[in-house]
Amino acid sequence: MATSVQRGWQMILAGYRPELWILLLAALTRFWQLDYHSFWFDEAVSLEWARADASYIWLSTFPLVKDKHPPGYYLLLHGWWKALEPVGLTHNEIALRMSGALLGVLTVLGVLLLVRRTSGRTTALLAGTLTALSPALIWYSQELRMFQPATLGVVWAACCLAHAWGSAKAPLRAGWWAGMVVAFTFALYSYLFSAFALPAAGLTLLGLWLAHKLQRGDRAAQAATNRQLSGPTRKATPRSLVTSGSLPDRLLLEGVIALAVTGLLFLPLARNAWLVNESEGSPGRIFMDFASNLLRQVQIFTFWRAPWPEILATTTLTFFGLLALIGLSALQRKGPDRSAHFQFDQMWLFFWIGTPLLIGNLLLAVSDTVFAEDRYFLFLAPFFLWAVARGAVILGERWRPAAVGTGAVAVLLLAAALPALWSPSLLREDWRAAAQYIAHYQQRSPGLPAAVFVHADYTNIALRWYLHQTLDEKTLPVFYPYTGALKADEAESVVAPPVSGLRDLGVETLWLVQSHLEGVDAARVVQRWLSENFPVITEQYPAGIQVIGYALRHRYEQLPRLGAQASPLDIELAPHLRLAACEVLTPVLAARDERLHPPSGWVHVRLWWQATGKIDQAYMPSVQMVGPEGVWGERLYRDGETLRRDPPTQWPVGTIVRDEVDVNLNPATPPGEYPVVVGLRDEMGNDVGAKVECGQVRITQR
């Protein structure tokens, strides 16, 4: 028994080996570097919903008021979250993103089954490979948003429709029709644009019914002609060779019922969408920017954001566009169905690509944002790649090397576009890097209480997701006091009071984390007021975010508690100006930085100065990282730094002053140990007195 089972599995694996390799390729590309990108704001929103109670998710998102996306995907992610909870992986980025990666692999499986059913195995294998390598589909499989899951639903709805139409047994058809309803409902309740595929499904049903009717008429006419020519000695055409006249009618009825059920399930959500989406965007014109939008969609579906030279990008765009055009317009000579009127797979492609694009172009009259984002029509990518594969196969029917050549080129082009997905150029909003920098700084600053202001306010969920994995709210409170759009004249009345409140609480360091300021604070009212009133201690630039540290307090009567890495020095570097202590807050780092301020790493140094008498010059510290070869890092100067805002000539005797600088490294600095050297320069920029070693920095390879 065991041997027969093993043989059965071996036969299955042998028969579907190419498909299995394609699925393995899809898994490899979708699980590759799942944690390279930080969660961006939209993904943090998904996680916020996922952590909520299921009933709350439904009641809050179904009306489409608190969130413009329906609850389907959020409920799925909630289930995944609950599954990860017992094993303690709810904050593991790889584990969380595995859900989307798995859905991406299932999408490729759906393409293989759909295209094999309608266009044959050769086309299916190429379409599946292209879908497995599609950069946009891979990207959104690694993102915790609803666009790839909706694509999965649309593909499987089409797949179930194709299999239901081709099944002779009623129970099997019922299962496929039910699968179509479930897949469509999941897509519709995850992403509203999925509704554009519903008319495509209806037109496909009608087209299949008409095609069968035409086929039956053609066959009946041919049979009559044969009888007339052959006389009574020719056998009648067997009934099994002519499609039963009642079966297409029954299939059409079943399909209409399945679509009607889907429509009824979608109707309440569609009503909510109609009520809330009237104000989305500004009215445009139908078919506005049609050519540019169409070309952009082709690029999204193929090499997407690959940073290629213009000539290569244009050539690639033309190549894929021509293949898809051939796939949409040319007839195949070989295959499962060779109707002289219209081929079934060609009809599928026309309806499932053309109908959503037509609806989108018509909706431009209502909103000019229909094609605004790359992800909006992502669910069309598998169908477009199907058209590309069909075009390559058709060319191969005319000249076999053409199929191999064009198919191979298409696969290689998509594969060549993949490395860009995991490169700094595609970093979106690096909240992880922002949170890690702040947390690292605070862990090395035990005597400097701090707080965080997040601006715009609603982005706080993205920062808190990462920050509170390291520091709790009590250790580092996060506030988001500025809501709504700020005006330039509201600095003192709106910006100042929350900062005064922090100072009253004893906060000495304020982190201003800014993102999504368009329409909220485009004039940088908050940043401008803080920079005018407090010294800047550092500025960091993670992708899509700006992090600025401010010293709400920089003068002290005595040294606060320093970190373990501090170097007590007590050395006078100029008359009456003593360097009491020095702290290297980034003792280990890479010379090249891709996350916070590319291309160079920055060594952050905190200096504690003390005035032992009246100081007669506005000295500025020089801070360098040196090696046997010379200077490998030089400090950055900022207009708002401590000693520019509060020069030593203004310090009362005995005052200790906190001063912080960033040392910009040469990206070519070899790995090794380097001393940080501190000195002083006078008002003319000349070195004064001796220099002292402040601490050591270890430069790593990465």
Side-chain angles (χ1 to χ4, degrees):
M1 180 66 179
T3 304
S4 61
V5 172
Q6 290 175 354
R7 287 176 180 172
W9 276 109
Q10 289 173 357
M11 291 177 63
I12 292 173
L13 292 175
Y16 291 97
R17 187 173 287 122
E19 286 84 353
L20 293 175
W21 279 112
I22 291 171
L23 292 176
L24 182 62
L25 176 64
L28 177 64
T29 54
R30 282 153 180 78
F31 283 88
W32 182 260
Q33 295 197 69
L34 277 174
D35 61 345
Y36 180 84
H37 291 280
S38 162
F39 291 138
W40 69 298
F41 169 68
D42 282 16
E43 290 180 284
V45 171
S46 297
L47 289 168
E48 194 80 355
W49 285 117
R51 291 187 289 177
D53 182 74
S55 60
Y56 178 78
I57 295 173
W58 177 269
L59 294 174
S60 299
T61 59
F62 178 71
L64 302 176
V65 175
K66 292 185 178 180
D67 195 298
K68 67 179 182 179
H69 293 293
Y73 173 67
Y74 296 141
L75 289 170
L76 178 70
L77 188 60
H78 171 78
W80 186 259
W81 175 281
K82 287 295 184 182
L84 296 176
E85 207 166 27
V87 291
L89 293 176
T90 54
H91 281 76
N92 184 287
E93 291 173 79
I94 293 177
L96 287 166
R97 284 196 164 130
M98 282 175 63
S99 60
L102 289 170
L103 296 180
V105 175
L106 290 177
T107 301
V108 176
L109 175 60
V111 169
L112 287 169
L113 294 175
L114 168 63
V115 181
R116 179 166 178 162
R117 186 73 174 188
T118 53
S119 293
R121 191 181 190 192
T122 302
T123 307
L125 292 176
L126 182 53
T129 304
L130 296 177
T131 306
L133 292 173
S134 168
L137 289 172
I138 293 168
W139 175 277
Y140 288 106
S141 292
Q142 295 191 337
E143 185 178 274
L144 295 183
R145 294 298 282 166
M146 61 288 302
F147 306 102
Q148 166 59 45
T151 302
L152 167 77
V154 171
V155 166
W156 274 94
C159 180
C160 290
L161 192 160
H163 282 78
W165 190 271
S167 299
K169 296 181 179 180
L172 190 59
R173 287 203 308 274
W176 286 116
W177 291 127
M180 186 187 78
V181 173
V182 171
F184 253 139
T185 303
F186 172 68
L188 294 166
Y189 273 78
S190 295
Y191 180 48
L192 291 172
F193 273 24
S194 303
F196 297 170
L198 275 176
L203 289 171
T204 302
L205 279 173
L206 183 60
L208 290 170
W209 178 77
L210 288 173
H212 275 91
K213 289 293 184 181
L214 290 171
Q215 267 194 332
R216 185 169 179 270
D218 288 347
R219 289 173 179 173
Q222 184 63 43
T225 302
N226 290 339
R227 284 195 299 271
Q228 290 175 0
L229 293 175
S230 303
T233 59
R234 182 176 178 87
K235 294 182 179 180
T237 305
R239 182 173 177 81
S240 60
L241 296 181
V242 181
T243 304
S244 172
S246 61
L247 183 57
D249 297 335
R250 192 181 312 130
L251 291 171
L252 178 63
L253 178 62
E254 292 172 357
V256 168
I257 292 173
L259 282 179
V261 171
T262 304
L264 288 173
L265 292 172
F266 178 56
L267 190 59
L269 184 64
R271 175 185 176 275
N272 292 340
W274 179 265
L275 293 175
V276 302
N277 285 341
E278 290 180 340
S279 60
E280 284 286 320
S282 303
R285 304 183 314 276
I286 61 172
F287 292 96
M288 182 175 66
D289 301 323
F290 176 76
S292 61
N293 282 334
L294 190 61
L295 290 174
R296 181 162 160 260
Q297 295 304 311
V298 173
Q299 181 172 341
I300 293 167
F301 300 156
T302 53
F303 63 98
W304 197 33
R305 296 185 182 178
W308 291 346
E310 185 176 355
I311 186 170
L312 177 58
T314 303
T315 303
T316 304
L317 197 64
T318 304
F319 172 76
F320 279 108
L322 288 175
L323 276 183
L325 188 61
I326 293 169
L328 286 166
S329 60
L331 296 177
Q332 282 183 271
R333 294 177 180 174
K334 303 174 183 178
D337 181 5
R338 296 299 146 240
S339 168
H341 298 281
F342 205 83
Q343 293 182 268
F344 287 4
D345 56 346
Q346 196 176 24
M347 176 184 66
W348 277 81
L349 290 170
F350 266 112
F351 288 153
W352 288 79
I353 296 174
T355 305
L357 288 177
L358 175 63
I359 295 172
N361 277 283
L362 294 176
L363 286 178
L364 285 172
V366 179
S367 173
D368 59 1
T369 63
V370 172
F371 292 95
E373 298 290 344
D374 293 356
R375 55 189 181 267
Y376 284 176
F377 285 84
L378 183 71
F379 60 91
L380 296 185
F383 298 95
F384 179 84
L385 295 172
W386 174 8
V388 170
R390 186 177 187 272
V393 171
I394 287 174
L395 288 178
E397 291 176 353
R398 274 67 174 177
W399 186 47
R400 186 173 181 80
V404 177
T406 54
V409 170
V411 168
L412 290 174
L413 284 171
L414 294 189
L418 293 183
L421 297 181
W422 303 283
S423 66
S425 63
L426 284 191
L427 291 173
R428 196 167 201 168
E429 292 172 13
D430 204 343
W431 293 99
R432 183 204 300 146
Q436 286 177 346
Y437 184 88
I438 295 172
H440 181 271
Y441 179 100
Q442 290 306 133
Q443 288 170 334
R444 293 176 176 270
S445 308
L448 300 176
V452 179
F453 274 5
V454 183
H455 184 51
D457 61 305
Y458 53 82
T459 60
N460 74 88
I461 60 176
L463 182 69
R464 286 191 293 112
W465 169 265
Y466 286 105
L467 196 58
H468 288 165
Q469 294 180 37
T470 307
L471 301 174
D472 58 30
E473 185 72 25
K474 183 178 180 180
T475 304
L476 184 63
V478 177
F479 302 99
Y480 29 100
Y482 309 118
T483 59
L486 287 175
K487 299 177 181 178
D489 59 356
E490 293 180 327
E492 293 297 332
S493 60
V494 176
V495 178
V499 181
S500 299
L502 290 182
R503 299 185 74 188
D504 293 341
L505 292 173
V507 172
E508 298 179 9
T509 302
L510 174 62
W511 295 99
L512 177 64
V513 182
Q514 300 186 109
S515 184
H516 291 248
L517 294 185
E518 300 80 5
V520 176
D521 186 11
R524 305 284 177 127
V525 176
V526 175
Q527 177 184 338
R528 189 172 67 246
W529 185 87
L530 286 170
S531 298
E532 289 172 353
N533 289 275
F534 302 100
V536 174
I537 59 174
T538 188
E539 293 178 272
Q540 305 291 323
Y541 304 95
I545 306 163
Q546 182 184 30
V547 178
I548 308 177
Y550 292 98
L552 298 190
R553 182 185 181 189
H554 70 280
R555 287 187 179 185
Y556 296 79
E557 290 74 35
Q558 60 183 13
L559 275 175
R561 183 160 65 99
L562 304 181
Q565 76 284 355
S567 300
L569 297 174
D570 198 18
I571 297 176
E572 189 173 90
L573 296 183
H576 309 300
L577 184 54
R578 183 172 71 99
L579 181 58
C582 174
E583 299 175 270
V584 177
L585 273 69
T586 51
V588 181
L589 76 160
R592 178 173 291 274
D593 183 283
E594 296 179 342
R595 297 279 180 166
L596 294 170
H597 30 66
S600 302
W602 290 357
V603 178
H604 191 76
V605 180
R606 185 188 296 135
L607 307 171
W608 295 96
W609 302 101
Q610 185 173 30
T612 58
K614 182 64 177 176
I615 301 172
D616 60 0
Q617 283 208 57
Y619 294 107
M620 290 293 292
S622 67
V623 186
Q624 298 172 321
M625 191 186 80
V626 300
E629 307 86 352
V631 177
W632 286 103
E634 184 72 57
R635 65 154 295 178
L636 299 172
Y637 290 89
R638 296 186 175 96
D639 291 338
E641 63 184 271
T642 302
L643 269 64
R644 290 188 188 274
R645 294 189 54 82
D646 187 11
T649 55
Q650 299 179 5
W651 298 352
V653 175
T655 298
I656 294 176
V657 174
R658 165 191 175 189
D659 177 29
E660 306 200 27
V661 301
D662 287 307
V663 178
N664 186 41
L665 302 183
N666 184 333
T669 304
E673 298 278 345
Y674 296 87
V676 174
V677 177
V678 179
L680 286 173
R681 290 173 180 158
D682 60 21
E683 294 174 345
M684 302 300 294
N686 300 314
D687 289 332
V688 176
K691 294 184 178 182
V692 61
E693 184 177 322
C694 173
Q696 289 281 324
V697 175
R698 180 161 62 89
I699 301 300
T700 61
Q701 192 69 38
R702 290 191 63 184

